[in-house]
Amino acid sequence: MLRPASYAIGKWIEPGAESRAIHGPVTGDLIGQAGGAPLDVQRMLDWARSTGGPALRAMGFHDRARLIKALAVYLGERKEELYAINPLTGATRRDGAIDIDGGIGTMMVIASKGRREMPDGQVYVDGAAEGLSRGGTFIGQHIAVPLQGVAVLINAFNFPVWGMLEKLAPAILAGMPVIVKPATQTCYLTEACFRMIIESGILPEGAVQLVIGGTGDMLDRLGAQDVVSFTGSADTALHLRTNPALMRNSVRFHAEQDSLNATILGPDVAAGSPAFQAFIKEAANEITTKAGQKCTAIRRIIVPQSAINEVSEALMARLAGITLGDPAADGVRMGALASAAQKADVLDKLSALAGETVRLTDDPETLDLIGAGPEGAFLAPTLLRCDDPDAARAVHELEAFGPVSTLMPYRDADHAAALANRGGGSLVASLVTDDPQVARQVTLASAAWHGRLYINGASSANEATGHGAPLPHMVHGGPGRAGGGEELGGVRGVLHYMQRTAVQGSPDVIAAITGQWQPGAAEIDAQQHPFQRTFNEIRIGETLHTDAREVTLEDIAHFAEFTGDTFYAHTDEEAAKANPFFPGRVAHGYLLLSFAAGLFVQPDPGPVLANTGLNSLSFQKPVSPGDSIKVRLTCKRKTRRTDSYGEIAWHVTLTNQDGDQVAEYELLTMVSYTR
């Protein structure tokens, strides 16, 4: 008997007298008891805010990213323990891979994004500084810092592992402690994964807690520094988001809701073509994966009127080959729905859709099961057809959250987009086409109604990631019915747990706050060439001013001949003068960069290991023969990359003999921690 426990204030709390029975979806037998134990939710919130939050915020983004990666590795080494439990949820191993490996992989990506795209510090710099005064002594900078509350993560039954990890990783990276509340029906799998997190000892005390069962009045106790991140039905989201305390305190509420996602077969795709085959495969997968219990599953299949018969025949043939039964049994392609209640809800929705659709497949309750009996929550894949989608309402408003999808015809690309939009906002809509102009037309007509557009065709089918696969690199969420929220998207998902603030002050003040040097801030003369100093020795603001070098006509001519860059502005005096940008022949921009390197580089071996690139190069003023240039090289920011070296970003400016800036860029070098 499974008895998943809550984890609160550093202790495991077993199910109580009022625990809820969990019946397995495969056999209908009682498999567990969950919840029912009284939890001191105020102490849980206090513990997270006073213990977990400060411990996380004391670290930098890179420190927290390392914790997340270590945790993902730890879970990955023990994932077979989770796969052993997975069939109890009704899911096959293939389904479980999306949940278990998908969740662990998401953590790895978020950790990588934290190391690569966030600073090695405690303040996220959002965009460039804004000049707010003529002389540059007063500037503004947008920053983001961790919220000082707790993130309450409320997850749905269909992804008990991924649903937790894809929220937990961005919140921890942001520096927020979390309280996880999984759906009770599959909470035992969440608890097994969560128990590993605690046993790892990787996260600081108070960083994570788990609620099995109800949350009591926890939401009533949340304030302006807290966040609620929810995945589930629109009705539940509406109930939660209208909590008076959440509204009164403007508590952030991110909702990712089930939606009536659509897929469109482009008008250019011929039956039997590679793109057509990709469309059929994708649609069938989305009907049957997780027994159709995915918030991103395809609910409406929108195809040209002329192709309706070919699509229906191909889809029914593919669905007919799907084997059902015990997800732990060999040969089973589709398992059970999560519960008997879920099965009943799907059957109710099918009855409600019957007035607008024709069922093309057999009775979903007529089953040939492998290794299971009729007591389980099984339904066969079901394909419906709606012949008049313009007049219909239910197919665009009711979702049967199971292996059900509705086929409908369209007249042209604009009509197809309009039908997809009738869903009132979705997490994802997909389009299969080999015509880029069709893709553009549908995108412009429908992108406002969908959180993600997945466009596939013959050229990308072999590597495309799948209509129903939210990736940690891309945002996951959608407008309207889909909840109006957003998750993932790399660093974008982290910022949901942070406060964006505009700070204003002198360049020195902004540099001190952000840990990044700003033009106009104090410069440090180290009395030694910076390329002879280690990563640890170099200080933010350390600056080298070089001697000047004259740029001659011979230099320009030689560079043009040597490189082959004989653009007229560098080789033809009269043509150059006719150009409104130039006073006559001018130096190549890349010649100036080469001369700049020659001015600031120290040639002897030292801690500098490599020049790895430059960013934001701009040329502000042309340099004519006879002009002189000199360089200012300033340490802008420092980022630890490995155990032996880090990255230093240098702010580089080139000025002429009159003190006018002629070029600017950011130079990246890898520098050793030791000599």
Side-chain angles (χ1 to χ4, degrees), residues 154-380:
I154 304 173
N155 298 317
F157 66 81
N158 50 343
F159 288 100
V161 175
W162 180 86
M164 172 176 64
L165 299 182
E166 62 97 11
K167 293 180 173 69
L168 183 147
I172 295 295
L173 181 55
M176 281 198 88
V178 304
I179 296 175
V180 179
K181 164 61 178 83
T184 302
Q185 180 61 33
T186 54
C187 66
Y188 48 87
L189 185 51
T190 307
E191 191 253 21
C193 183
F194 188 92
R195 193 174 286 272
M196 293 178 185
I197 294 174
I198 298 303
E199 291 172 349
S200 75
I202 291 171
L203 297 180
E205 189 176 76
V208 291
Q209 297 179 82
L210 176 69
V211 174
I212 298 296
T215 57
D217 62 351
M218 181 178 290
L219 298 189
D220 299 335
R221 299 171 182 268
L222 299 183
Q225 290 291 306
D226 301 315
V227 178
V228 176
S229 185
F230 168 80
T231 298
S233 71
D235 289 341
T236 303
L238 178 62
H239 172 72
L240 295 177
R241 74 164 75 237
T242 54
N243 177 286
L246 301 190
M247 294 189 292
R248 181 173 56 252
N249 297 320
S250 299
V251 176
R252 294 190 190 186
F253 188 94
H254 303 296
E256 183 257 289
Q257 299 170 186
D258 307 331
S259 59
L260 287 160
N261 311 295
T263 187
I264 300 170
L265 180 66
D268 58 296
V269 178
S273 67
F276 182 89
Q277 297 300 334
F279 179 84
I280 297 300
K281 179 180 178 181
E282 192 87 68
N285 283 343
E286 290 302 313
I287 293 171
T288 57
T289 299
K290 276 279 187 177
Q293 299 168 114
K294 293 200 307 174
C295 55
T296 53
I298 293 170
R299 304 304 180 193
R300 295 171 300 146
I301 304 171
I302 304 171
V303 303
Q305 176 69 63
S306 59
I308 195 89
N309 290 331
E310 290 89 345
V311 171
S312 62
E313 290 171 4
L315 260 179
M316 285 191 292
R318 193 171 186 94
L319 294 176
I322 300 297
T323 51
L324 282 73
D326 184 344
D330 291 338
V332 170
R333 291 285 306 279
M334 192 177 99
L337 279 74
S339 66
Q342 187 62 30
K343 174 181 176 179
D345 182 73
V346 173
L347 291 173
D348 285 345
K349 294 298 195 305
L350 283 173
S351 296
L353 293 170
E356 296 177 352
T357 64
V358 174
R359 193 179 73 239
L360 301 179
T361 49
D362 294 334
D363 182 347
E365 293 190 274
T366 300
L367 302 167
D368 183 12
L369 300 174
I370 298 175
E375 303 84 4
F378 295 97
L379 283 178

Side-chain angles (χ1 to χ4, degrees), residues 31 101 139 158 222 288 324 361 386 483 553 657 664:
I31 63 171
D101 275 295
I139 63 176
N158 50 343
L222 299 183
T288 57
L324 282 73
T361 49
C386 175
L553 186 61
Q657 67 279 358
E664 181 179 31

Side-chain angles (χ1 to χ4, degrees), residues 373-389:
E375 303 84 4
F378 295 97
L379 283 178
T382 302
L383 182 64
L384 310 176
R385 189 186 71 228
C386 175
D387 292 324
D388 189 0

